[in-house]
């Protein structure tokens, strides 16, 4: 005859048999049959009702214990670089357990906020481990915004223009946040209707404080900032490299040419006449040997892979490597010995690369120049630093570049002209000026030699049949090409439909648009028609550069992809034990996906930050008129890009006048039904700045003139209509920004 179990006995069995404690298993374990099963079911219901047991599908568990498989939220690495997580849902009375995430070969790098499905294992009293099954998505919904105190808690007004709504913060979930403070909120369960609910997870201070703009981007996009103690310790323990078996390249005049505000120098170049070929050139490109310091499997390596790349803001850098490496030992400073991986490339008189050779060496740069210095010297205006370098170093370098440009011209890569903005800040973080960077021959020289070196790296590894990460840029989709053709037609230009896609076709379109009002807009449209480049171990070519094989090799201080290629070259040439490890080679697909994601994340953070700085720069000029051009047309309004700063803003269609405007997506125009007034892409306009919101980067304009002719203004709303109009304009601006972000 069976003995009916006590609650304690049932609880002990459930604890000892996680995942295998359904009603049948418990009844079988205690020999319960017949009528005892009915009492047993009632007891289990009672234990579930009083919170002793919790149910996971068909199994019971101790509510103070984790299920064998659970959804966890990653907390991010601690000071030692170890990654921990907590359960997304926890109904125990005690604090939720903290689980150590065991990293196995092939597991993706996990960042703060990631949601994962994992197997859980209790390794000791109160000690838990998690083993990844799969990553689900980025973390529970979070929002970064400005906290506004309300009668029952408050609200979070998102700083992201793409956010569709505000969030309600219940009383008791404000964490003491003050009105107007920048906060990070975390989603709470709530009713299906009405505003979403959130609790304040972190208070970040005054959003108007100096340099808060980039801080907003760091938090909004989840960029890792602090390095784990283990990674910092490895970086601090690093020492200069002796020559050893390295090839001595210190006799070569390998100079660095970088922006004046460059924080690291990871590439150096020089050129020499080829003694074996009249009018031929030998070009050397030397790259910092980061692989020597960042070894596979080290804390530095784990953190570098997690970050994927450095992120650059006008006021700060979120680097991939600690300063002890990125700014010192791995940086090719003038006059000091530095380890490098270099490629010697031989160019024919027609500019084509006829041979290349890689080596692991030791170099010493004789000079660190800015682009402006190098350009001035080539233009015949050297300064005290460059004067001694003109004949032996700079003249051969520019001559070799002009030779290489012949091959580039035959290749016809995509020839876009997109000026780069430069935001100048004061010491306190205020925007002093916004200008466009000049595009110098010195820029093109470094760009072309880096491309040649990247091609050589891909070809060298292919020749040795070694795995690598390619930089892939696939050809545009048929839908995007069709849309571009319609835009070109709307501008009175031609783009052949159905032709075999080659970069030359796009270049011909750009040439047609050159020196017209449509030039800038067509450059942007061609850019948006292209697919997004990414990293992958499969080679699908690089459409934009018109290259069969291409890999990133030249920036290992700031890109993890380049470090992978360096390690592949080390392994392929047998240069040491710090080459690409077989375990890492086996997961190149996952690594490529991860660092492609981190690259997109950084681009979005940098773009959002620039938009906010531009809005801050223009905030005290509300009411001022500006010249610009129509850069986008939609049924809800016009996008305008200002000539002075390149800032983009929206003219809501409700402010264009009292008549109805018909939108034609094929010709990218708005046409007034009463007046026949047509407003289209590329038209020069005069606008008045109606609103600038630095915390979101949003700009709203009012149209004054089109092609020099004044436009009728919409009748100003009266009474309660005015706030509603402005509110609608803001909502439209957010939705439009979201759509524009997807198009990019």
């Amino acid at each position: 005859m069976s003995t009916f179990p006590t609650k304690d006995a049932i609880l002990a069995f459930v604890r000892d048999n996680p995942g295998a404690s359904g009603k049948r298993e418990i009844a079988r374990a205690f020999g319960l049959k017949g009528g005892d099963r009915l009492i047993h079911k009632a007891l289990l219901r009672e234990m579930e009702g009083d919170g002793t047991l919790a149910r996971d599908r068909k199994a019971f568990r101790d509510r103070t214990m984790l299920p064998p498989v659970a959804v966890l939220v990653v907390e991010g690495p601690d000071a030692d670089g170890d990654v921990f997580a907590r359960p997304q849902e926890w109904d125990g009375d005690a604090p939720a357990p903290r689980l150590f995430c065991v990293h196995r070969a092939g597991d993706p790098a996990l960042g703060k906020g990631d949601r994962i499905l994992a197997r859980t294992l209790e390794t000791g009293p109160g000690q838990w481990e998690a083993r990844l099954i799969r990553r689900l998505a980025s973390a529970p919904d979070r929002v970064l915004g400005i906290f506004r105190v309300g009668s029952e808690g408050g609200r979070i007004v998102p700083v992201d223009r793409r956010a569709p709504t505000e969030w309600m913060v219940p009383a008791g979930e404000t964490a003491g946040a003050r009105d107007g403070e920048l906060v990070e909120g975390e989603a709470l369960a709530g009713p299906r209707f009405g505003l979403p609910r959130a609790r304040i997870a972190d208070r970040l201070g005054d959003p108007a404080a100096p340099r808060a703009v980039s801080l907003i981007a760091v938090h909004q996009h989840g960029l890792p900032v602090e390095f784990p103690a283990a990674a910092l310790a490895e970086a601090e323990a690093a020492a200069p490299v002796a020559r050893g078996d390295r090839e001595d390249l210190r006799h070569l005049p390998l100079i660095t040419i970088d922006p004046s505000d460059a924080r690291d120098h990871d590439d150096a170049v020089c050129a020499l006449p080829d003694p074996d070929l009249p009018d031929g050139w030998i070009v050397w490109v030397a790259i910092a040997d980061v692989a020597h310091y960042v070894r596979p499997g080290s804390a530095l390596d784990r953190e570098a892979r997690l970050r994927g790349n450095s992120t650059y803001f006008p006021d700060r850098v979120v680097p991939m490597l600690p300063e002890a490496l990125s700014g010192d030992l791995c940086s090719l400073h003038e006059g000091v010995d530095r380890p490098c991986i270099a490629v010697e490339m031989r160019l024919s008189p027609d500019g084509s690369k006829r041979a290349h050779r890689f080596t692991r060496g030791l170099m010493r740069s004789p000079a660190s120049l800015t682009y402006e210095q190098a350009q001035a010297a080539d233009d015949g205006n050297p300064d005290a630093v460059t004067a001694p370098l003109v004949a032996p170093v700079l003249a051969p370098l520019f001559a070799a570049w002009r030779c290489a440009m012949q091959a580039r011209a035959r290749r016809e890569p995509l020839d876009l002209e997109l000026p780069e903005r430069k935001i100048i800040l004061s010491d306190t973080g205020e925007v002093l000026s916004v200008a466009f960077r000049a595009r110098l021959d010195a820029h093109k020289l470094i760009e072309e030699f880096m491309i040649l070196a990247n091609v050589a790296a891909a070809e060298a590894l292919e020749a040795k049949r070694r795995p690598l990460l390619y930089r892939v840029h696939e050809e545009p989709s048929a839908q995007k090409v069709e849309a571009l053709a319609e835009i070109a037609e709307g501008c009175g230009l031609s783009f052949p439909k159905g032709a075999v896609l080659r970069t030359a076709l796009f270049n011909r379109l750009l040439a047609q648009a050159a020196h017209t009002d449509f030039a800038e807009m067509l450059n942007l449209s061609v850019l948006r028609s292209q697919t997004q480049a990414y990293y992958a171990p499969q080679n699908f070519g690089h459409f934009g550069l018109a290259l069969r094989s291409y890999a990133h090799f030249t920036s290992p201080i700031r890109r993890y992809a380049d470090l992978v290629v360096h390690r592949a070259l080390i392994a392929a040439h047998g240069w040491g034990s710090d080459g690409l490890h077989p375990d890492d080679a086996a997961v190149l697909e996952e690594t490529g996906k991860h660092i492609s994601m981190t690259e997109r994340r950084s681009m979005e953070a940098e773009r959002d930050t620039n938009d906010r700085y531009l809005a801050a720069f223009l905030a005290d000029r509300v009411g001022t008129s500006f010249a610009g051009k129509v850069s986008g047309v939609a049924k809800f309004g016009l996008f305008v890009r200002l000539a002075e700063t390149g800032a983009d803003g929206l003219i809501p269609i409700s402010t264009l006048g009292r008549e109805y405007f018909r939108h034609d997506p094929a010709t990218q125009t708005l046409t007034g039904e009463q007046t026949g007034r047509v407003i289209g892409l590329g038209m020069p306009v005069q606008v008045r700045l109606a609103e600038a919101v630095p915390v979101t980067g949003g700009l709203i304009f009012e149209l004054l003139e089109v092609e020099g002719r004044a436009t009728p203004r919409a009748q100003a709303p009266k009474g309660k209509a005015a706030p509603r109009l402005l509110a609608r304009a803001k909502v439209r601006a957010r939705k439009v920004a979201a759509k524009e972000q997807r198009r990019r």
Side-chain angles (χ1 to χ4, degrees):
M1 184 175 180
S2 62
T3 303
F4 201 83
T6 63
K7 289 185 178 181
D8 289 341
I10 292 175
L11 187 59
F13 175 80
V14 168
R15 287 174 177 168
D16 293 338
N17 297 273
S21 302
K23 292 178 182 178
R24 292 182 179 179
E25 289 81 6
I26 297 173
R28 190 179 301 115
F30 292 100
L32 302 179
K33 299 179 181 179
D36 287 344
R37 286 178 175 266
L38 297 177
I39 302 174
H40 166 60
K41 290 181 181 179
L43 181 59
L44 291 178
R45 282 197 299 271
E46 181 182 336
M47 294 178 71
E48 188 177 0
D50 64 21
T52 305
L53 292 179
R55 189 198 298 262
D56 291 320
R57 295 185 179 180
K58 295 183 179 181
F60 289 93
R61 63 175 174 85
D62 181 350
R63 67 185 295 266
T64 65
M65 304 283 285
L66 282 169
V69 175
V71 176
L72 309 177
V73 179
V74 177
E75 291 187 333
D78 64 5
D80 296 322
D82 294 328
V83 177
F84 288 86
R86 292 189 185 275
Q88 179 175 311
E89 297 181 359
W90 177 251
D91 53 6
D93 295 328
R98 191 165 181 254
L99 297 89
F100 170 71
C101 297
V102 178
H103 183 84
R104 298 167 295 179
D107 285 351
L110 300 176
K112 180 180 179 181
D114 283 345
R115 291 173 63 244
I116 61 172
L117 185 67
R119 299 189 187 280
T120 65
L121 176 66
E122 189 175 23
T123 57
Q127 296 180 343
W128 291 82
E129 284 186 354
R131 297 181 182 272
L132 180 70
I133 297 175
R134 67 176 180 274
R135 182 164 53 188
L136 299 177
S138 287
D141 288 340
R142 285 180 173 263
V143 59
L144 186 73
I146 307 301
F147 180 66
R148 295 300 180 191
V149 174
S151 57
E152 297 181 358
R155 293 191 180 189
I156 300 174
V157 181
V159 299
D160 188 348
R161 286 174 289 166
R162 299 177 293 262
T165 185
E166 298 178 357
W167 294 61
M168 186 183 74
V169 181
E173 298 288 356
T174 65
R178 297 189 295 270
D179 188 70
E181 196 169 22
L182 183 66
V183 298
E184 186 176 35
E186 187 176 272
L188 293 172
R192 294 178 56 188
F193 304 101
L195 293 177
R197 296 169 8 116
R199 69 176 186 88
I200 303 300
D202 199 2
R203 297 170 56 190
L204 304 174
D206 182 5
R211 307 188 187 280
V213 172
S214 56
L215 178 65
I216 290 173
V218 166
H219 281 267
Q220 180 181 345
H221 294 278
L223 298 176
V225 178
E226 300 298 327
F227 282 96
L232 289 174
E234 289 179 2
E236 294 294 338
V241 174
R243 179 187 167 191
D245 295 332
R246 294 174 177 272
E247 183 174 350
D248 193 347
L249 304 178
R250 288 174 289 185
H251 64 287
L252 293 174
L254 288 159
I255 62 170
T256 63
I257 305 177
D258 292 289
S260 57
D261 57 353
R263 296 168 171 90
D264 49 57
H265 308 275
D266 49 12
D267 58 83
V269 294
C270 73
L272 308 167
D274 190 340
D276 300 326
L277 182 65
D279 298 324
W281 291 95
I282 299 175
V283 175
W284 282 89
V285 174
I287 308 299
D289 189 356
V290 175
H292 172 81
Y293 294 103
V294 183
R295 303 296 177 108
S298 65
L300 277 170
D301 182 44
R302 291 195 300 271
E303 186 66 15
R305 187 180 186 276
L306 173 67
R307 294 173 180 235
N309 50 265
S310 298
T311 306
Y312 294 85
F313 300 114
D315 66 326
R316 73 179 77 202
V317 175
V318 180
M320 187 180 80
L321 300 174
E323 175 65 21
L325 295 182
S326 62
D328 188 7
L329 289 177
C330 289
S331 197
L332 305 180
H333 293 306
E334 176 182 341
V336 293
D337 291 353
R338 286 291 183 259
C340 64
I341 295 179
V343 57
E344 176 190 23
M345 298 177 288
R346 295 180 178 265
L347 304 185
S348 299
D350 66 356
S352 57
K353 179 171 65 67
R354 64 187 184 90
H356 61 254
R357 176 181 73 91
F358 281 88
T359 185
R360 201 171 196 182
L362 190 70
M363 62 161 284
R364 181 186 297 161
S365 176
S368 293
L369 306 182
T370 67
Y371 285 113
E372 292 75 16
Q373 278 182 298
Q375 187 63 56
D378 186 59
D379 291 341
N381 301 302
D383 59 19
V385 174
T386 57
L389 301 173
V390 171
V393 180
L394 291 172
L397 198 56
F398 276 90
W401 165 68
R402 292 184 176 98
C403 175
M405 290 300 284
Q406 299 175 76
R408 179 185 176 92
R410 291 193 300 272
R411 200 175 78 238
E412 284 200 79
L414 204 58
D415 190 19
L416 291 169
E417 285 293 334
L418 297 169
E420 182 184 357
R421 279 192 301 247
K422 183 176 183 179
I423 297 174
I424 306 297
L425 303 179
S426 69
D427 292 339
T428 60
E430 296 176 340
V431 182
L432 296 178
S433 64
V434 179
F436 292 100
R437 296 181 190 267
R439 177 77 167 152
L440 306 174
D441 284 350
H443 290 103
K444 299 174 184 177
L445 181 153
I446 293 299
E447 177 184 281
E448 189 61 24
F449 287 157
M450 296 306 109
I451 290 173
L452 287 176
N454 289 336
V455 171
E459 291 176 348
L461 291 171
E462 286 176 339
K464 292 181 176 291
R465 301 182 181 276
R466 294 288 179 149
L468 73 146
L469 277 178
Y470 290 94
R471 180 63 168 178
V472 176
H473 183 230
E474 298 183 70
E475 67 178 31
S477 66
Q479 294 85 350
K480 288 188 174 182
V481 171
E482 181 72 21
L484 177 63
E486 291 178 354
I487 292 173
E489 184 179 345
C491 298
L493 306 175
S494 63
F495 186 82
K497 298 180 181 179
V500 176
L501 283 184
R502 295 184 296 113
T503 50
L505 295 177
F506 294 91
N507 289 339
R508 288 189 199 124
L509 175 62
L510 295 172
Q512 292 178 62
H515 310 299
T516 72
D517 291 338
F518 304 109
E520 181 182 359
M521 185 269 298
L522 258 298
N523 272 270
L524 283 172
S525 297
V526 169
L527 176 65
R528 290 167 182 164
S529 73
Q530 305 300 305
T531 60
Q532 194 163 40
Y534 61 95
Y535 296 104
Q538 299 86 21
N539 183 17
F540 299 113
H542 198 294
F543 178 80
L545 292 175
L547 292 169
R548 184 188 66 82
S549 298
Y550 192 66
H552 275 166
F553 157 75
T554 55
S555 297
I557 291 178
R558 61 184 181 90
R559 291 189 306 224
Y560 193 79
D562 303 57
L563 178 57
V564 171
V565 170
H566 276 230
R567 288 174 176 165
L569 288 167
I570 292 168
H573 291 87
W575 288 334
S577 60
D578 49 352
L580 188 64
H581 193 276
D583 289 345
D584 293 327
V587 295
L588 284 180
E589 184 89 36
E590 178 63 34
T591 298
K593 290 178 181 178
H594 172 71
I595 62 178
S596 296
M597 178 276 293
T598 62
E599 178 187 50
R600 291 191 295 271
R601 178 180 66 183
S602 292
M603 290 172 60
E604 291 171 4
E606 291 166 359
R607 185 165 52 236
D608 288 351
T609 297
N610 286 339
D611 287 347
R612 290 188 175 101
Y613 272 124
L614 285 169
F617 181 62
L618 296 170
D620 60 355
R621 302 173 71 180
V622 170
T624 304
S625 63
F626 297 91
K629 289 183 180 178
V630 177
S631 60
V633 180
K635 62 182 179 181
F636 35 70
L638 301 169
F639 289 106
V640 170
R641 172 161 293 183
L642 301 185
E644 179 184 337
T645 60
D648 290 294
L650 174 70
I651 302 175
I653 198 169
S654 57
T655 67
L656 289 180
R658 304 181 67 178
E659 64 179 322
Y660 178 80
F661 279 84
R662 186 175 66 255
H663 175 235
D664 186 342
T667 60
Q668 291 289 285
T669 57
L670 290 176
T671 304
E673 286 204 337
Q674 294 177 9
T675 63
R677 185 164 52 119
V678 178
I679 307 174
L681 282 174
M683 287 186 174
V685 296
Q686 196 77 16
V687 297
R688 178 182 290 119
L689 180 60
E691 182 180 2
V693 186
V695 77
T696 65
L699 299 174
I700 295 179
F701 297 131
E702 176 190 352
L703 185 63
L704 301 178
E705 296 179 3
V706 178
E707 295 185 319
R709 292 178 295 176
T711 60
R713 297 169 58 185
Q715 184 175 3
K718 299 179 181 179
K720 296 181 180 180
R724 284 202 304 272
L725 176 61
L726 183 58
R728 289 195 199 106
K730 289 180 179 178
V731 171
R732 288 193 188 99
R734 287 174 184 157
K735 291 181 178 178
V736 168
K739 186 173 183 178
E740 185 69 8
Q741 185 78 10
R742 289 193 295 271
R743 288 179 64 194
R744 289 174 177 173

